[in-house]
Amino acid sequence: MDKTLERKPYSNPGAEELTRKAEADDLLLVDERLRRMMPECAFGELGTCCVMCYMGPCRIDPFGQGPRVGVCGATPDVIVARNFLRAATGGAASHAGHARELAILLLEIAEGKAPGYRIREEGKLLALAGKLGVPVDGRPVSAVAADVARKALEDFGRQDGEPMNWIRARATKTEYAKWERLGLVVSNPHNEIETAMHRTSMGNDADPLNLWVATLRMGMVDNFAGLMLATDLSDVIFGIPTPKVVSANFSVVKENQVNIACHGHNPILASKVAEWADRLEAEAKAAGAERVNVVGVCCIGNELVMRYGVPYAGHEAQTELFLATGAIDAMVVDMQCIWPSLPGIAKCYKTRFITTVPFVRHPEAIHVDFHADRADERAQEIVRHAIAGFRDRKAAAVPVRIPDVSSTLLTGISVETLVAVLSTVNREDPLKPVIDAIASGDIAGAVGIVGCPNPKLRDGAMTERMAGELIRNNVLIVTTGCVNHILAQAGFLKSDATEKHAGPRLRKVLTAIGQAAGLGGPLPPVLHMGSCVDNSRIYDLLAALAGKLGVEISQLPVAGSAPEFMTEKAISIGSFFLSAGILVHLAPAPRVFGSPFAVSLLTEKLAGLNGGKALVAATPDGAVAGILAHIQEKRQALGLPRA
Amino acid sequence: MRRVVYDPLKCAACKSCEIQCSVSHSLSKDLLSAVSESPPSLPRVAVAWTPGMNVPLKCAHCETAPCMLGCPVGAIRRDAGSDTVQIDDSRCIGCFSCVLVCPYGAVRLSFDRKRAYKCDGCVERLRAGEEPACASSCPTHALAFREIEEVASQNAASAAMRETAALLRGRETAGGEASPLEAILRMREEMARG
Ligand code: SF4
Ligand code: SF4
Ligand code: SF4
Ligand code: SF4
């Protein structure tokens, strides 16, 4: 590593090194593109720019002298609510699409049309079938799987207005009753998405409250038709994650191996690529490589590390830097968060950039149409592209620079795993030690830190600082999504983070659990629960804890934070957590500040209805102060001592 | 001598300059809080419009300032240090003579209509070593903080080029290579003609 690089606390030295290399290679990377974009349009930031019809674009002057309504008469409250609902719809549509692909895959497996895949988790399938009312006794697994898949697909086509199967099967009684009372139980994700687009198009819904209720419903779509369905079915097909220690950061890329970076979200493709990477080792050797090395970036990194322990490369905002190492032979992507900048950068280093989904393409990419029925064939084709890419790289003597930075993380913490770990402490009642620790204040509360890194907040190390401060205050952290890469690279996902960062009371609990579970050290203070769709695991965990305590989720001393969010998916996930009555911290500021109605609803009024509340804070200190205050408030309401 | 200069052909009317001027003259200096301040902070630059052109108008801090000459009570003075024309709020009697005589329409009526206000040249920012807010926020550089002598000579050169090009093209406006912005501006011109 270049010793002359000056380091800010928490900054990744590898990222700095590669940024300078890319500059020398004359590449325009995200930080520079962002700098050139500033300042960004303030109307957009406030949410008061409307482009929904061609009388506009309309922009509302927030200082009150210019236009106060759109050409059509829409007020800023209406414009903001419509824009926000559309963002939530974009996110929910992404998650529903992800989940629907898995439902179709499960049906294909059951019908023998996807020979490359099998059902790895019969237990979870049968349990799911039980909850969905699918008969299991004496029936072959494939018949049960087909029925479960049909139950899922029925949800996407339901026109009778009845509640989604998945909500009925997977929501707890308490929460279900609450959602029913608030009118948030949805029937069919596609209908909700259609209605949201319809009601926000020119000249429909002009009632801000009605629009915000639709946003909360979109949150329900996101969780039950998207996240939860996807996690459930992924576990059935690809296995329930189990604990493992895996290496992370730039040094997972190996100069003399065929490096394939998998990028995107849905494990359908990447799991196959990982499988064929091993099976084609001989061909890689023939090309002069040691082996084929699959590494995961972005959320596919989370999917692959949780189940298969595939090296955990880096987050979405580092994908360009991984290409800039010059050592990636193929970057293969499925969907979501694939920056259009990537194929151009790949080209500079002779990296083959491979798209695989019909609606995610790029004129400079190689397209390999991936379908489950010919998965093995296609995965081989992709791995062979990478091997050929390796040959090209060596023949052209592309200069390679892999920063010598590495870290490890403990991963694979599904709810099932956590319960298994905890049952080493208390076999009869695994959740009891956690509940007791929360009750006594040894664990003050828990925060789910989730979402993406946003280059706008990377300079301030928003995520690392928040995590450090929360842990110091004895708050346990669970995480999903790309912020995990940040926390893993900063060393928060391993035992010694507990010793280094945790407050004394939290350290005591984690050490006890770690010892009982035979981890050879404390449990890390940050628990890796998976990809962004695995927020459903966090919800499941909260539901289990609330159930044990006999309270609503909204009463727990917990909060969710997307400290550096950037996608619409974070908006829809956040909307669900608001529906569930949880405090949601967001940074950067969501685009609602142009609407006094939205601000008062999200920061005050909603809390009175269902407990949900938005906290906007763009500095780590502000965010931590707000979250800690909330946790103490909830503790007090439950009659627990201050922690 | 540095001034905020403008190039109306570049202005996309995104109004970032207005927003940032308001923000930098607000109490909090932060967009999200500034929008809820009362009274609201007012922008001192305004994007005026005529078919075919957007003009971000603000005080030019004229050497022989008509507003200063016209003010009956001497409320308008030149601040020697920053070479800007300033309205002394406490002396303004609200006669609005300055509004009437300003050739740029740069002087406006305050919220309660009791005082005149206008661009103060962002003196506070200048003292802090920063550029005026409007110029530094303009994404297309339609507004820019530049040496006025340099601008004068550049403008002369580009005027010469324009004239020559127009003569060569037989006074036709630019054809195929028009920028998207020029295309929009031309469309607006057509629309205004009916
Ligand atoms: S829908 Fe209304 S506010 Fe939106 S662009 Fe059209 S006229 Fe303007
Ligand atoms: S002067 Fe600049 S900020 Fe103002 S409208 Fe034009 S481009 Fe936008
Ligand atoms: S309105 Fe105020 S600033 Fe204008 S001329 Fe009168 S006194 Fe002067
Ligand atoms: S110079 Fe400053 S005060 Fe004057 S218009 Fe620009 S931003 Fe406003």
Side-chain angles (χ1 to χ4, degrees):
Chain A
M1 185 196 124
D2 188 350
K3 294 279 187 293
T4 60
L5 297 173
E6 88 285 343
R7 282 202 63 192
K8 288 174 253 149
Y10 288 128
S11 67
N12 184 327
E16 289 166 29
E17 192 181 335
L18 286 171
T19 304
R20 295 193 190 179
K21 173 172 188 278
E23 270 165 22
D25 295 346
D26 232 359
L27 291 177
L28 185 64
L29 298 189
V30 58
D31 288 337
E32 179 58 20
R33 295 197 302 268
L34 176 63
R35 199 186 63 74
R36 292 187 188 179
M37 194 59 67
M38 303 311 273
E40 290 169 333
C41 175
F43 299 95
E45 274 191 80
L46 293 168
T48 48
C49 172
C50 180
V51 290
M52 279 166 201
C53 82
Y54 275 75
M55 294 192 285
C58 292
R59 286 164 326 166
I60 306 304
D61 176 5
F63 298 98
Q65 280 223 311
R68 317 202 58 163
V69 294
V71 177
C72 67
T75 62
D77 288 335
V78 169
I79 293 175
V80 165
R82 287 192 307 211
N83 285 340
F84 200 86
L85 174 55
R86 282 212 170 180
T89 304
S94 304
H95 285 142
H98 180 146
R100 189 168 49 84
E101 282 205 358
L102 288 159
I104 292 169
L105 177 62
L106 183 62
L107 188 60
E108 286 173 342
I109 296 172
E111 291 176 344
K113 291 181 190 152
Y117 300 88
R118 64 192 168 86
I119 288 157
R120 281 184 216 223
E121 216 71 66
E122 273 180 34
K124 185 142 185 171
L125 175 70
L126 297 183
L128 207 48
K131 288 183 192 149
L132 287 161
V134 169
V136 293
D137 288 338
R139 301 180 69 205
V141 173
S142 62
V144 176
D147 281 353
V148 166
R150 282 190 202 104
K151 283 277 184 194
L153 292 172
E154 182 182 46
D155 278 347
F156 288 94
R158 189 179 277 285
Q159 294 301 331
D160 57 9
E162 289 296 310
M164 275 183 67
N165 296 326
W166 236 261
I167 296 188
R168 273 194 290 213
R170 296 289 269 109
T172 61
K173 273 213 181 68
T174 326
E175 306 302 324
Y176 189 95
K178 170 178 165 170
W179 286 323
E180 203 165 37
R181 181 163 43 79
L182 292 168
L184 300 182
V185 175
V186 296
S187 174
N188 169 341
H190 286 178
N191 285 1
E192 289 298 323
I193 290 167
E194 178 207 279
T195 310
M197 291 308 284
H198 185 174
R199 82 202 299 158
T200 53
S201 70
M202 169 60 202
N204 289 294
D205 204 347
D207 178 349
L209 181 60
N210 205 33
L211 285 157
W212 279 101
V213 171
T215 297
L216 294 178
R217 286 172 65 91
M218 201 50 74
M220 297 289 287
V221 166
D222 190 87
N223 190 63
F224 287 101
L227 313 185
M228 196 160 269
L229 224 157
T231 304
D232 284 345
L233 301 187
S234 284
D235 280 357
V236 166
I237 301 169
F238 303 107
I240 296 173
T242 51
K244 44 190 88 62
V245 175
V246 180
S247 54
N249 217 340
F250 290 102
S251 63
V252 300
V253 178
K254 306 289 176 201
E255 174 151 14
N256 293 318
Q257 303 187 359
V258 175
N259 293 300
I260 303 181
C262 287
H263 177 17
H265 285 78
N266 204 331
I268 297 179
L269 161 77
S271 61
K272 269 286 151 196
V273 172
E275 183 187 327
W276 278 98
D278 287 339
R279 294 168 73 175
L280 294 180
E281 190 168 310
E283 287 183 32
K285 286 203 164 123
E290 290 161 7
R291 61 185 282 273
V292 184
N293 179 36
V294 174
V295 302
V297 291
C298 197
C299 256
I300 209 66
N302 288 309
E303 293 280 355
L304 291 176
V305 81
M306 285 279 283
R307 296 197 179 85
Y308 310 119
V310 164
Y312 193 60
H315 55 71
E316 145 264 334
Q318 289 172 328
T319 41
E320 298 182 336
L321 294 178
F322 275 91
L323 292 173
T325 59
I328 305 292
D329 299 304
M331 180 171 272
V332 45
V333 306
D334 50 54
M335 55 197 178
Q336 302 169 20
C337 306
I338 318 296
W339 293 2
S341 69
L342 299 175
I345 297 173
K347 217 174 181 176
C348 298
Y349 298 106
K350 303 212 173 293
T351 299
R352 301 198 175 191
F353 193 89
I354 303 168
T355 54
T356 55
V357 171
F359 63 85
V360 184
R361 294 190 66 158
H362 192 287
E364 295 200 73
I366 299 167
H367 189 73
V368 174
D369 214 15
F370 189 86
H371 286 288
D373 57 347
R374 305 175 72 180
D376 287 301
E377 207 176 295
R378 294 289 187 254
Q380 288 177 64
E381 189 180 337
I382 288 166
V383 175
R384 290 205 172 101
H385 265 302
I387 295 173
F390 177 86
R391 274 210 183 88
D392 294 350
R393 159 158 74 94
K394 290 292 174 183
V398 174
V400 165
R401 181 155 182 180
I402 300 165
D404 182 19
V405 289
S406 67
S407 182
T408 56
L409 75 156
L410 175 71
T411 180
I413 316 287
S414 51
V415 177
E416 292 85 344
T417 293
L418 196 60
V419 169
V421 168
L422 291 173
S423 60
T424 57
V425 183
N426 184 333
R427 192 157 303 279
E428 283 72 53
D429 197 355
L431 287 180
K432 188 161 182 299
V434 174
I435 304 251
D436 289 348
I438 292 174
S440 70
D442 283 349
I443 297 179
V447 175
I449 297 191
V450 305
C452 339
N454 187 324
K456 288 195 213 179
L457 293 151
R458 266 312 42 230
D459 265 356
M462 181 79 183
T463 301
E464 299 92 315
R465 284 176 202 273
M466 267 183 73
E469 226 9 57
L470 288 169
I471 296 163
R472 204 173 62 76
N473 282 282
N474 300 305
V475 174
L476 182 69
I477 296 177
V478 292
T479 64
T480 62
C482 262
V483 294
N484 262 310
H485 286 279
I486 296 175
L487 291 173
Q489 290 171 7
F492 279 99
L493 278 76
K494 44 186 186 177
S495 284
D496 57 8
T498 302
E499 277 137 24
K500 245 190 254 166
H501 302 286
R505 302 182 75 177
L506 180 64
R507 195 186 316 146
K508 190 182 72 184
V509 181
L510 296 176
T511 307
I513 297 175
Q515 265 158 12
L519 290 177
L523 197 65
V526 178
L527 303 178
H528 182 211
M529 299 198 76
S531 64
C532 39
V533 293
D534 292 333
N535 275 304
S536 58
R537 298 193 204 276
I538 296 184
Y539 168 76
D540 267 343
L541 185 62
L542 294 179
L545 287 173
K548 272 220 57 99
L549 283 166
V551 299
E552 264 188 27
I553 288 179
S554 66
Q555 292 172 271
L556 295 174
V558 299
S561 168
E564 303 192 27
F565 87 96
M566 69 94 207
T567 69
E568 290 176 331
K569 294 179 287 174
I571 298 279
S572 54
I573 295 172
S575 301
F576 169 69
F577 279 87
L578 286 177
S579 308
I582 294 170
L583 179 88
V584 179
H585 165 246
L586 283 173
R591 293 169 189 152
V592 301
F593 276 82
S595 161
F597 178 89
V599 172
S600 88
L601 178 75
L602 295 176
T603 60
E604 295 158 32
K605 297 213 176 79
L606 187 62
L609 282 174
N610 80 336
K613 194 173 171 177
L615 168 69
V616 179
T619 62
D621 292 347
V624 169
I627 289 173
L628 290 179
H630 173 79
I631 285 177
Q632 295 298 2
E633 209 177 285
K634 292 287 166 184
R635 293 186 64 87
Q636 194 178 6
L638 285 173
L640 301 176
R642 268 188 81 83
Chain B
M1 186 185 10
R2 287 176 96 193
R3 286 275 189 274
V4 175
V5 298
Y6 63 85
D7 180 354
L9 288 175
K10 282 191 188 160
C11 180
C14 71
K15 301 183 186 177
S16 300
C17 49
E18 296 182 6
I19 295 267
Q20 295 306 329
C21 183
S22 297
V23 170
S24 77
H25 289 81
S26 69
L27 296 174
S28 64
K29 314 265 186 261
D30 166 59
L31 173 70
L32 302 184
S33 322
V35 293
S36 50
E37 271 173 29
S38 173
S41 168
L42 298 172
R44 289 116 206 274
V45 52
V47 180
W49 178 80
T50 183
M53 208 177 277
N54 302 316
V55 192
L57 284 176
K58 55 177 281 300
C59 173
H61 301 279
C62 321
E63 284 305 314
T64 315
C67 62
M68 189 155 73
L69 300 176
C71 180
V73 295
I76 306 187
R77 292 176 299 104
R78 175 172 296 277
D79 174 62
S82 60
D83 202 19
T84 54
V85 175
Q86 301 289 346
I87 299 182
D88 179 348
D89 207 28
S90 65
R91 297 173 70 179
C92 176
I93 56 169
C95 69
F96 301 127
S97 312
C98 49
V99 177
L100 302 180
V101 297
C102 172
Y104 286 93
V107 192
R108 315 235 160 75
L109 280 51
S110 66
F111 239 92
D112 57 10
R113 296 168 175 268
K114 290 189 174 150
R115 301 266 193 285
Y117 80 98
K118 69 167 190 67
C119 161
D120 60 11
C122 280
V123 269
E124 277 184 37
R125 289 173 60 99
L126 293 182
R127 286 191 195 119
E130 293 172 58
E131 294 197 348
C134 55
S136 74
S137 67
C138 181
T140 63
H141 303 285
L143 290 175
F145 193 51
R146 295 176 58 192
E147 283 299 339
I148 200 118
E149 286 89 346
E150 187 194 314
V151 174
S153 61
Q154 258 179 23
N155 281 0
S158 53
M161 269 167 60
R162 250 195 337 267
E163 292 286 341
T164 317
L167 282 172
L168 290 176
R169 258 189 260 112
R171 309 200 74 76
E172 283 283 291
T173 38
E177 332 81 341
S179 75
L181 190 56
E182 280 168 343
I184 291 175
L185 295 175
R186 214 169 319 121
M187 260 166 44
R188 286 192 194 152
E189 211 174 349
E190 309 277 355
M191 276 160 57
R193 269 200 228 109

